[in-house]
């Protein structure tokens, strides 16, 4: 059977059509002959081929052209569906009507043909022509037992992973069809919350209630559950995932409708469960006026455009139709990657946005000024920064020069170039920091706060003071899911390799937000500032990393190995806090916070130093960096950044090496 199937599939399209036409001619003749048998019976019937030869010649002459007209020979039998069945009904019905007219006219002159023959011919043709095509579809798919899986003696083990589909709606049925055609998984059951369809059969699969999942596993041998509920809220998905944790099943999902509609994925693209579903928080709809205020019809520049946040900002800014989007990035590969993606989107959606990829570093102020003046930039989103806490702790000078001096360079370039809006992407680690990364990000915030209060600031590089027309805004938030260095991709990788999952401390917690939601809120917050504002995004409740690791193990169909369960699949190991790492993160330095017009964005009233005080302090810090005096750097940071309490010894690589040499 397999060799016959392969041989038929390999035939040229022309030969396949000829074979279908010849087969349909014989089916038409056979249906017409059976119509006489049903009407007259075999005992009394004279051979209709001899008695009504004209009718058997007329039937295919009328029928085959109609079949061609309705596209029946253009349909691919492997993907034969409802549209093709409707076409068959139309073609057969119309051909039967025409044959009926011919019989009525011709029977007045020759042998009489019973009128019921036409009706019999109609329904027999539908059964034969439509039924054969449905049978051939199953034959080419190699799946004869789809609708008979509960019939005794029809079950078979084809070696494919057995999966249950959570959600018997349109997405679930599309997924079942895709899986059957792909032949990579075998769908064996539906699970659905709708009690009206429980215990029924849909697409050949029995529908189970969620409370009967164990019974479903015992009956079908399901190994995985695929979530096909793209329209459900994150809160509901979190409930479902929490319920499924108790079963030995690997849980994965199909994409959402927006991803399907955009063409980024297909319905049969199976992915691991989105960790955002475990957080269970639904994003608040964006306010269009805030999204468009600083972008539509303007020239926008994004620094760090190839990073996790920067690239997502570029994607969302592109949709808001600026005239020009400038991608400023020091990594050639990252710039190439995001540029290629955005160019493809511009071409696909016919967007009238000019894209400019600029290789450069925020450490070079002249380059920034040249770019901003040349293209008359209106809005800057400053996402370029070093954000990895232990890495910056080991490389203090680079962290300071990039996060503080780089931000200062970009801000001063904006002032000189008369940029209207400047938005800094900050972090919750800037609040009472215990590490260099957090203290440098807070110092970057303080720099913008100080500059925003100066009408004509004396620039740090002793350039001629320039009238300040730039509105500076800072947006502070926590960890984003899936960013470079995020714990989530690390956990996925460790689960695939068999573990263990490494967590720094049993009690460590973090705030989490999805990258798209964070970028969208950053854009809206940047539109609300009056100058020097520090906005804080509502990150929801902090998440315990240990519990997150356990959930990811359970939803992979595995169990946690511990002292109580020594036979578990994957262990969780605690490695100890890394240099500069905190157990808990905070979003506010004080309690002085105000609501804004957006429910997810708060305005923090933070203390700051005037530019006259801060400017010489930055000079001292820069001098200490140049002299590799990291003890002095730490002392100055403690004196400047409120709440900075470094934890442990200085672990900068250069500092440690010099101490060894001494």
């Amino acid at each position: 059977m397999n060799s016959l199937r392969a041989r038929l599939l390999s035939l040229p399209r022309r030969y396949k059509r000829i074979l279908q036409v010849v087969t349909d001619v014989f089916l038409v003749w056979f249906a017409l002959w059976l119509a006489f048998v049903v009407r007259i019976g075999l005992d009394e019937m004279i051979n209709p081929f001899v008695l009504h030869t004209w009718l058997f010649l007329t039937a295919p002459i009328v029928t085959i052209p109609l079949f061609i007209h309705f596209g029946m020979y253009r349909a691919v039998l492997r993907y034969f569906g409802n549209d093709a069945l409707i076409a068959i009904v139309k073609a057969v019905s119309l051909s039967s009507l025409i044959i009926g007219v011919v019989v009525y006219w011709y029977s007045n002159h020759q042998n009489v043909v019973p009128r019921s023959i036409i009706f019999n011919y109609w329904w027999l043709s539908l059964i034969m022509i439509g039924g054969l095509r449905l049978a051939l579809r199953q034959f080419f798919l190699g799946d004869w037992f789809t609708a008979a899986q509960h019939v005794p003696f029809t079950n078979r083990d084809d070696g494919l992973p057995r999966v249950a589909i959570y959600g018997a709606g349109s997405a679930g049925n599309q997924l079942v069809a895709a899986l059957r055609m792909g032949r990579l998984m075998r769908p064996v059951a539906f699970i659905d919350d709708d009690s009206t369809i429980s215990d029924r059969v849909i697409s050949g699969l029995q529908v189970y209630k969620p409370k009967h999942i164990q019974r479903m596993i015992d009956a079908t041998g399901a190994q995985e559950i695929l979530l096909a509920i793209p329209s459900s809220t994150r809160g509901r998905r979190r409930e479902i995932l929490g319920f499924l944790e108790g079963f030995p099943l690997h849980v994965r999902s199909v994409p959402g409708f927006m991803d399907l509609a955009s063409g980024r994925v297909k319905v049969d693209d199976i992915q691991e469960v989105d960790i955002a579903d475990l957080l269970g928080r639904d994003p608040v709809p964006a306010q269009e006026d805030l999204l468009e205020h600083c972008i539509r019809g303007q020239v926008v520049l994004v620094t760090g455009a190839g990073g996790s946040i920067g690239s997502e900002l570029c994607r969302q800014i592109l949709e808001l139709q600026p005239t020009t989007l400038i991608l400023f990035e020091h990594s050639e590969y990252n710039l190439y990657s995001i540029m290629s993606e955005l160019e493809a989107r511009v071409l696909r959606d016919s967007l009238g946005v000019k894209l400019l990829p600029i290789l450069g570093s925020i450490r070079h102020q002249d380059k920034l000024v040249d770019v901003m003046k040349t293209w008359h930039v209106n809005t800057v989103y400053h996402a370029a920064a070093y954000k990895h806490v232990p890495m910056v702790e080991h490389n203090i000078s680079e962290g300071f020069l990039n996060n503080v001096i780089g931000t200062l360079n970009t801000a001063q370039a904006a002032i000189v170039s008369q940029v209207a809006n400047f938005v800094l992407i900050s972090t919750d680690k800037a609040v009472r920091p215990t590490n260099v990364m957090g203290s440098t990000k807070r110092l970057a915030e303080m720099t913008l706060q100080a500059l925003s209060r100066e009408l004509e600031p004396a620039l740090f590089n002793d350039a001629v003071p320039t009238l300040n027309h730039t509105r500076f805004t800072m947006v502070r938030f926590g960890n984003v899911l899936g960013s470079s260095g995020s714990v989530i991709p690390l956990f996925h990788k460790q689960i695939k390799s068999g573990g263990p999952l490494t967590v720094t401390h049993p009690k460590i917690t973090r705030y989490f937000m999805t990258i798209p939601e964070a970028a969208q809120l950053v854009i809206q917050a940047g539109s609300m500032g009056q100058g020097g504002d520090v906005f804080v995004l509502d990150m929801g409740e902090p998440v315990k990393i240990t519990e997150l690791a356990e959930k990811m193990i359970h939803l992979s169909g595995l169990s946690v190995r511990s002292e109580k369960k020594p036979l578990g699949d994957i262990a969780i190991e605690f490695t100890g806090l890394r240099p500069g790492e905190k157990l808990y993160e905070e979003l506010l330095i004080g309690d002085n916070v105000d609501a804004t017009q957006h429910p997810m964005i708060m305005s923090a009233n933070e203390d700051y130093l005037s530019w006259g005080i801060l400017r010489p302090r930055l000079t001292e810090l820069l001098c200490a960096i140049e002299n590799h005096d990291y003890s002095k750097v730490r002392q100055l940071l403690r004196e400047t950044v409120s709440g900075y309490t470094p934890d442990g010894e200085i672990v900068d690589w250069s500092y440690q090496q010099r101490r060894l040499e001494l």
Side-chain angles (χ1 to χ4, degrees):
M1 295 290 284
N2 290 334
S3 61
L4 176 61
R5 185 186 303 116
R7 187 173 179 181
L8 288 173
L9 290 174
S10 65
L11 287 175
R13 185 64 183 158
R14 181 179 60 179
Y15 293 163
K16 291 178 181 176
R17 288 178 175 174
I18 292 173
L19 188 58
Q20 287 185 68
V21 170
V22 171
T23 303
D24 283 342
V25 170
F26 281 101
L27 286 176
V28 166
W29 285 342
F30 187 49
L32 196 54
W33 180 78
L34 277 180
F36 280 96
V37 171
V38 171
R39 171 64 178 84
I40 301 173
L42 286 173
D43 295 337
E44 301 179 6
M45 186 179 71
I46 302 173
N47 189 348
F49 283 108
V50 176
L51 188 61
H52 304 290
T53 305
W54 63 271
L55 183 57
F56 282 86
L57 292 175
T58 302
I61 292 173
V62 170
T63 302
I64 299 302
L66 287 172
F67 286 5
I68 295 172
H69 174 75
F70 281 97
M72 287 172 54
Y73 301 118
R74 293 194 298 269
V76 180
L77 291 180
R78 278 172 292 171
Y79 309 121
F80 191 79
N82 293 337
D83 291 341
L85 280 175
I86 292 172
I88 289 174
V89 171
K90 290 179 179 178
V92 170
S93 299
L94 185 56
S95 64
S96 299
L97 183 62
I98 294 173
I99 291 172
V101 172
V102 172
V103 166
Y104 177 78
W105 177 79
Y106 198 77
S107 294
N108 292 332
H109 305 86
Q110 304 291 333
N111 296 322
V112 175
V113 176
R115 301 295 189 270
S116 59
I117 294 295
I118 302 305
F119 176 74
N120 291 339
Y121 166 75
W122 173 74
W123 65 263
L124 286 167
S125 295
L126 286 177
I127 292 174
M128 291 182 183
I129 294 170
L132 179 63
R133 281 164 168 76
L134 289 173
L136 286 173
R137 181 184 68 178
Q138 297 305 111
F139 171 71
F140 288 127
L141 289 176
D143 193 6
W144 289 100
F145 298 94
T146 293
Q149 63 169 355
H150 303 293
V151 179
F153 311 113
T154 62
N155 287 327
R156 59 175 180 171
D157 184 8
D158 50 14
L160 298 177
R162 293 172 170 261
V163 298
I165 314 298
Y166 200 115
S170 58
N173 279 275
Q174 289 179 59
L175 178 59
V176 167
L179 292 176
R180 284 170 175 165
M181 286 187 282
R183 304 290 296 156
L184 295 176
M185 299 179 179
R186 184 169 186 79
V188 294
F190 276 119
I191 304 165
D192 202 281
D193 302 320
D194 188 353
S195 59
T196 61
I197 60 173
S198 61
D199 297 325
R200 295 190 180 185
V201 174
I202 296 177
S203 295
L205 304 178
Q206 184 169 341
V207 183
Y208 291 86
K209 294 180 180 179
K211 65 180 180 181
H212 297 150
I213 288 181
Q214 188 58 54
R215 190 174 77 186
M216 180 274 295
I217 295 173
D218 297 337
T220 64
Q223 302 157 292
E224 294 189 25
I225 286 185
L226 304 182
L227 300 180
I229 46 175
S231 59
S232 63
T233 64
R234 281 200 186 135
R236 177 56 188 149
R237 291 171 76 90
R238 183 184 185 182
E239 292 178 11
I240 293 171
L241 291 172
F243 177 73
L244 295 177
E245 268 193 82
F247 300 96
L249 295 165
H250 185 184
V251 182
R252 293 196 281 175
S253 65
V254 295
F257 285 141
M258 293 306 296
D259 290 328
L260 295 173
S262 66
R264 290 194 292 267
V265 292
K266 303 186 294 295
V267 73
D268 55 336
D269 283 336
I270 308 301
Q271 57 195 20
E272 296 297 329
V273 168
D274 189 349
I275 293 299
D277 293 334
L278 294 178
L279 304 182
R281 188 182 67 173
D282 293 303
V284 173
Q287 297 181 19
E288 292 298 324
D289 58 328
L290 293 179
L291 280 178
E292 298 178 352
H293 180 70
C294 297
I295 295 175
R296 185 171 293 276
Q298 302 185 43
V299 179
V300 180
L301 183 147
V302 179
T303 67
S308 303
I309 289 292
S311 59
E312 182 60 31
L313 278 170
C314 290
R315 293 183 191 101
Q316 297 199 22
I317 290 169
L318 187 66
E319 298 295 329
L320 295 170
Q321 299 284 308
T323 58
T324 305
L325 174 57
I326 302 173
L327 290 69
F328 195 89
E329 171 65 52
H330 79 284
S331 168
E332 180 186 30
Y333 176 75
N334 287 352
L335 183 60
Y336 168 77
S337 298
I338 186 62
M339 184 64 183
S340 300
E341 178 186 335
L342 297 182
E343 281 182 326
R345 185 174 295 186
V346 167
L347 185 63
R348 186 189 71 210
D349 298 338
S350 301
L351 300 176
V353 181
K354 184 177 182 179
L355 297 175
L356 291 173
I358 304 294
L359 271 174
S361 170
I362 56 173
R363 303 266 286 275
H364 301 144
Q365 184 171 315
D366 291 342
K367 175 76 170 181
L368 289 163
V369 171
D370 180 54
V371 171
M372 292 183 193
K373 281 189 173 181
T374 300
W375 280 284
H376 307 289
V377 172
N378 302 109
T379 302
V380 172
Y381 291 95
H382 182 50
Y386 290 144
K387 307 180 185 74
H388 195 275
V389 169
M391 197 68 71
V392 174
E393 206 70 19
H394 288 300
N395 298 273
I396 293 175
S397 64
E398 290 302 307
F400 175 82
L401 292 173
N402 198 69
N403 292 356
V404 180
I405 302 303
T407 299
L408 177 60
N409 288 340
T410 312
Q412 291 190 151
I415 293 173
V416 170
S417 306
Q418 298 190 347
V419 171
N421 309 294
F422 187 106
V423 182
L424 169 69
I425 312 303
S426 191
T427 171
D428 59 354
K429 293 174 179 61
V431 178
R432 281 183 278 274
T434 58
N435 50 69
V436 175
M437 193 282 280
S439 65
T440 57
K441 290 297 288 183
R442 175 58 190 146
L443 194 52
E445 289 182 357
M446 294 171 67
T447 300
L448 297 190
Q449 286 177 294
L451 287 173
S452 68
R453 265 68 178 185
E454 297 290 329
L455 181 61
E456 195 171 352
L459 300 185
F460 187 73
N461 55 5
D462 294 325
V464 177
T466 304
L467 199 63
N468 184 5
H469 295 285
T470 305
R471 180 174 60 92
F472 290 104
T473 304
M474 292 133 275
V475 185
R476 187 188 293 165
F477 55 92
N479 297 272
V480 288
L481 296 170
S483 66
S484 57
S486 170
V487 70
I488 307 304
L490 175 63
F491 282 170
H492 277 307
K493 184 178 180 180
Q494 290 175 337
I495 289 172
K496 286 182 179 179
S497 62
L501 268 62
T502 54
V503 179
T504 56
H505 194 281
K507 294 183 179 180
I508 193 167
T509 64
R510 288 293 181 266
Y511 290 98
F512 284 104
M513 179 178 282
T514 65
I515 295 178
E517 183 181 8
Q520 187 182 82
L521 289 173
V522 163
I523 293 172
Q524 293 177 88
S527 300
M528 293 192 294
Q530 301 301 313
D533 306 82
V534 178
F535 290 109
V536 180
L537 304 188
D538 181 357
M539 302 291 294
E541 295 298 321
V543 177
K544 200 170 183 180
I545 303 300
T546 305
E547 294 179 359
L548 188 63
E550 292 174 351
K551 286 178 180 293
M552 291 182 66
I553 292 172
H554 292 150
L555 294 173
S556 296
L558 305 170
S559 58
V560 179
R561 188 190 312 147
S562 62
E563 292 182 0
K564 295 181 179 179
K565 294 182 179 180
L567 299 180
D569 299 302
I570 294 181
I572 296 176
E573 291 185 359
F574 299 103
T575 58
L577 292 175
R578 297 171 296 182
E581 193 169 38
K582 296 169 68 174
L583 273 180
Y584 312 101
E585 298 292 1
E586 304 169 271
L587 290 167
L588 296 170
I589 296 175
D591 297 325
N592 194 5
V593 62
D594 298 322
T596 68
Q597 64 190 86
H598 195 291
M600 300 289 286
I601 302 173
M602 299 172 288
S603 177
N605 298 297
E606 307 283 29
D607 294 332
Y608 67 96
L609 299 176
S610 68
W611 182 237
I613 298 174
L614 187 61
R615 185 169 179 263
R617 194 71 57 85
L618 292 176
T619 302
E620 288 185 73
L621 276 164
L622 191 57
C623 184
I625 288 289
E626 291 173 351
N627 294 327
H628 306 287
D629 189 352
Y630 296 116
S631 296
K632 181 70 170 178
V633 170
R634 173 176 280 193
Q635 176 192 337
L636 288 170
L637 285 175
R638 292 184 68 171
E639 294 173 358
T640 308
V641 177
S642 175
Y644 174 48
T645 52
D647 185 21
E649 298 295 323
I650 297 173
V651 294
D652 182 90
W653 297 126
S654 299
Y655 176 81
Q656 289 182 328
Q657 184 61 29
R658 284 186 175 83
R659 290 191 63 183
L660 288 174
E661 291 174 355
L662 293 174

